[in-house]
Amino acid sequence: MKILVINCGSSSLKYQFIDTETEAVLAKGLVERIGIDGRLKHTPAGKEAVVKEESIPDHNKAVSMVIDALTDPEHGVITDMKEIDAVGHRIVHGGEKFASSVVINDEVIAAIEECSDLAPLHNPANLIGIRACQELMPGTPMVGVFDTAFHQTMPEKAYTYGIPHEYYEKYKVRRYGFHGTSHRYVSGRVAAILGKPIEDLKIVVCHLGNGASVCAVKNGESVDTSMGLTPLEGLIMGTRSGDLDPAILQFIMNKEGLDIDGMMNVLNKKSGILGVSGISSDFREIEDAYAAGDPAAKRANDAFVYRVVKYIGAYAAAMNGIDAIAFTAGLGENNAKIRKEICEYLGYLGLKVDDEKNNVRGKEVVFTTEDSKVAALLVPTDEEMMIARDTASLVK
Ligand code: ADP
């Protein structure tokens, strides 16, 4: 089947067009600056990328440009829109309503709408993408794949916050977790690479990108993860604070005269690696500054690594041991130094890094020694492939 995978944001739309029989990516692209001015970059497999700059007032125009690009006689990969067998949509928050991917119908759309107050920036944008596709591709089946779904197996003790239970009962305030599609894909690959059934494995997946989260996967199920009600909890991220003492909010708001929106903006956009270093949210710049002896870069680097290590320790306790630790996403896939620094703390687990094997980027590898008691792996994530697979299997 040929599946169009769509990841729709408020002003952007990423897509991949995947043949699920061969798992080949036939084309991919990005529409940016929707509602501002407009730019589409379309890359057909094995060919040069094409860029189109023209007015893109709304998502309907963006989707129609994607269809035009896919069917273009020169840069296209199909001749007719009808060759798109189904569309898979990435959806950020499924609340407690979705524990797996689903075929989208009116009921599902209403349920995604209901989850919108849990992800006010993301779910409405995802819905706009769904509606635009419905309008332009009527009759083409659509599937929703949720970032939160994989974590619905978390036990109550892991998702419960230490606040009055009535807030859960009234408003469903609990931990949900995100990056679920990535954690599911990577843990599945770990089992395949190690040649063991996932049902027998205790795996920690470290998804370390701009947004970052750690997940404990026991017997193929997520039993805990570092993000919570929103993607703000957990690790120190590119610009997000991760865990902190909630009383800090009031303290800083009083000192700086901030209202709650201003404070949340600081925690989401001005904190994390950017805030701690004062240099950048991008680890490449942190590494360069660190190498040049900048103490602020070292502070950010060390605090980031230490937080990851603490979560791995917590999940070793939660699962009563670890068989494998996998690293993925921008940093996890490209930064051997960070992988090494994290693993150096894990000698107590019997984990031993093979430096030569660790010296790679972006490809699957086990980078621990033969006698290491815990396997450490680099596994490039592929959320789009997972969305395409789910979509194909649900609409078949
Ligand atoms: P996002 O969560 O936005 O998808 P990414 O997964 O792209 O983020 O991760 C961003 C981080 O990964 C940045 O800190 C960046 O330094 C690092 N990164 C991404 N690509 C590379 C690369 N090719 N080489 C080194 N670091 C990279």
Side-chain angles (χ1 to χ4, degrees):
M1 287 183 123
K2 293 198 178 95
I3 308 291
L4 178 60
V5 175
I6 289 201
N7 182 353
C8 193
S10 55
S11 68
S12 71
L13 187 157
K14 282 188 221 154
Y15 64 94
Q16 285 198 10
F17 191 52
I18 294 176
D19 182 341
T20 52
E21 253 98 273
T22 56
E23 301 220 320
V25 178
L26 304 174
K28 60 178 157 188
L30 170 66
V31 189
E32 285 174 294
R33 304 180 61 83
I34 301 169
I36 305 165
D37 36 30
R39 180 177 192 271
L40 171 134
K41 184 178 177 187
H42 174 77
T43 314
K47 289 194 213 163
E48 288 280 296
V50 279
V51 174
K52 264 192 176 175
E53 276 172 17
E54 65 178 75
S55 165
I56 307 179
D58 55 31
H59 287 75
N60 279 30
K61 171 75 178 173
V63 171
S64 84
M65 282 177 76
V66 171
I67 296 170
D68 287 347
L70 290 171
T71 53
D72 185 271
E74 211 176 316
H75 320 291
V77 290
I78 47 176
T79 49
D80 194 294
M81 195 178 103
K82 292 198 179 72
E83 289 174 60
I84 302 172
D85 293 307
V87 182
H89 292 271
R90 178 205 177 192
I91 299 164
V92 168
H93 218 308
E96 287 185 330
K97 291 181 197 298
F98 300 103
S100 57
S101 305
V102 287
V103 175
I104 294 173
N105 56 27
D106 291 347
E107 235 170 74
V108 168
I109 289 180
I112 298 169
E113 253 161 11
E114 274 179 52
C115 298
S116 280
D117 62 346
L118 293 169
L121 296 178
H122 294 103
N123 275 30
N126 301 155
L127 281 166
I128 289 171
I130 292 172
R131 293 207 171 98
C133 289
Q134 282 181 325
E135 220 173 292
L136 292 158
M137 292 180 255
T140 305
M142 316 243 171
V143 165
V145 179
F146 300 86
D147 266 25
T148 49
F150 182 59
H151 304 299
Q152 279 296 302
T153 46
M154 270 197 286
E156 190 181 35
K157 63 187 174 190
Y159 70 66
T160 298
Y161 285 118
I163 57 174
H165 196 60
E166 64 178 282
Y167 300 133
Y168 170 71
E169 285 161 354
K170 284 201 278 193
Y171 314 120
K172 296 282 175 221
V173 175
R174 50 158 282 180
R175 309 185 60 259
Y176 290 95
F178 298 86
H179 292 142
T181 310
S182 174
H183 290 302
R184 178 160 61 106
Y185 174 84
V186 171
S187 54
R189 287 305 306 153
V190 168
I193 294 163
L194 297 179
K196 292 185 180 153
I198 198 163
E199 293 75 21
D200 296 344
L201 288 172
K202 296 167 186 171
I203 303 168
V204 173
V205 180
C206 304
H207 179 113
L208 309 178
N210 247 324
S213 71
V214 190
C215 181
V217 184
K218 189 177 184 184
N219 310 335
E221 292 186 341
S222 169
V223 293
D224 206 345
T225 191
S226 56
M227 284 177 169
L229 175 78
T230 75
L232 189 54
E233 190 180 342
L235 301 180
I236 296 176
M237 308 180 214
T239 62
R240 290 180 222 148
S241 65
D243 299 335
L244 43 74
D245 178 346
I248 290 174
L249 275 72
Q250 188 190 32
F251 187 86
I252 294 178
M253 285 163 75
N254 285 342
K255 294 280 185 199
E256 295 275 319
L258 288 173
D259 63 9
I260 190 65
D261 288 342
M263 188 69 229
M264 293 314 292
N265 190 48
V266 169
L267 296 180
N268 274 302
K269 305 252 173 76
K270 297 184 176 167
S271 298
I273 294 299
L274 171 67
V276 175
S277 69
I279 299 170
S280 168
S281 63
D282 191 311
F283 238 90
R284 283 167 280 203
E285 287 178 51
I286 300 299
E287 268 203 296
D288 293 346
Y290 188 169
D294 186 330
K298 177 169 165 43
R299 180 197 312 137
N301 180 90
D302 292 356
F304 174 84
V305 167
Y306 183 70
R307 183 75 57 88
V308 176
V309 167
K310 282 215 295 193
Y311 267 100
I312 294 171
Y315 294 162
M319 295 193 289
N320 190 24
I322 297 176
D323 298 308
I325 300 175
F327 293 85
T328 195
L331 262 177
E333 293 172 27
N334 292 293
N335 195 319
K337 179 170 167 282
I338 284 286
R339 290 195 301 268
K340 165 92 173 166
E341 280 183 40
I342 292 167
C343 288
E344 264 173 354
Y345 277 92
L346 306 175
Y348 74 98
L349 291 170
L351 189 151
K352 288 190 213 164
V353 170
D354 180 325
D355 287 329
E356 215 167 291
K357 289 184 187 154
N358 184 38
N359 192 19
V360 286
R361 268 170 200 272
K363 63 173 196 195
E364 291 185 347
V365 65
V366 181
F367 61 88
T368 32
T369 59
E370 292 290 329
D371 64 337
S372 179
K373 291 203 174 73
V374 174
L377 299 91
L378 189 174
V379 179
T381 193
D382 197 343
E383 288 156 287
E384 288 79 10
M385 191 59 71
M386 211 67 199
I387 294 173
R389 283 182 195 161
D390 280 9
T391 303
S393 79
L394 279 168
V395 302
K396 230 168 219 167

